[in-house]
Amino acid sequence: MDLQQIGASHPRIKQAVTLIKNTAPNRNQLFVAEGLWAHNVLLDVRAPIRTFFWCPEAIYSDEARMRAAAITERADSAFRISEKTLERITERDKPDGLVSIAQMPIWDPDLIELGDDALIAVADAIEIPGNLGTLIRTLDACDAACLVLTNRRTRLTHPKVFRGSHGMSLTIPHVEFDQPDEAIAWLKQRGCTVYLADTDATEHYRHIDYSGRTALVLGNERYGISKPWYEHGFPCVSIPVLGHADSLNVAISGSVLLYEARAQKNGW
């Protein structure tokens, strides 16, 4: 492919570095995708690709070469870069010579459709990107309706969220509310039964009725669910911990609860 070659000082390369560091404002919901699997996801879900960076010297497979041509056609702009420049905008050891700046979908909370038996996860102040990514991947596996974010501590555009979700952060509808009360009002208006995951709760998670529209609230890794959620009288559920640890990882807890809810809803 005959593409313009750019170096580390080019504005698009600097933009990619900024996105990877995840420190600057990101109103357009841009993120960096690396490698063959990530670009297969971008193409499959038809995600907007704003800039594509191609390093032919770093491509290891015929499939990656084929994908490079398809990505170039889809991208708003495409450039060739050297292996040295590639190292500046990647975190993986072998990103197959494919790196893109892509855009997350933006969902309108008023337009998200919920079925009569919808399953929803609420991430309240989850701050470790890998945990949020793993939770989103589980939401996809459980055929959940959407993700609700409150007291956000990490962005969905964080590279580790995209990798942890295996790209499913592009397909799972998500809505964000600045305050828990806004999310609570949104859930109540849609007739959702809300359960709080709390290690101190006495109600066993398998003794809960998950029929109808169900929302499971998962809290911060250190402090748990924020206080406003407890002010509405929502029932709390817990997962038994039989060893010496005092709790499970939040993404693991979410997976257990979501699969139990899905099992009941589908009659497994």
Side-chain angles (χ1 to χ4, degrees), residues 112-122 139 142-148 173 186-187 190-195 209-216 257-258 260-266:
I112 290 181
E113 296 183 2
L114 299 178
D116 293 339
D117 213 25
L119 180 57
I120 300 164
V122 179
L139 288 171
C142 290
D143 192 26
C146 74
L147 169 70
V148 175
W186 187 83
L187 292 168
R190 283 151 184 80
C192 297
T193 300
V194 179
Y195 296 105
D209 180 6
Y210 296 99
S211 60
R213 292 179 176 175
T214 307
L216 300 168
L257 294 172
L258 287 164
E260 176 63 24
R262 176 52 64 202
Q264 287 194 26
K265 289 176 181 294
N266 287 22

Side-chain angles (χ1 to χ4, degrees), residues 39-60:
H39 284 82
N40 283 338
V41 172
L42 295 182
L43 292 172
D44 287 345
V45 305
R46 302 194 63 80
I49 302 173
R50 300 309 178 198
T51 307
F52 172 51
F53 304 104
W54 177 56
C55 180
E57 295 80 8
I59 288 181
Y60 300 97

Side-chain angles (χ1 to χ4, degrees), residues 77-122:
S77 59
F79 301 96
R80 179 170 179 165
I81 60 174
S82 67
E83 289 184 277
K84 185 176 181 180
T85 301
L86 178 68
E87 292 176 359
R88 288 183 56 85
I89 58 172
T90 59
E91 295 183 322
R92 296 177 55 195
D93 292 335
K94 293 183 178 181
D96 302 306
L98 309 174
V99 180
S100 287
I101 296 176
Q103 188 169 11
M104 296 282 296
I106 298 175
W107 304 87
D108 186 336
D110 293 329
L111 298 180
I112 290 181
E113 296 183 2
L114 299 178
D116 293 339
D117 213 25
L119 180 57
I120 300 164
V122 179

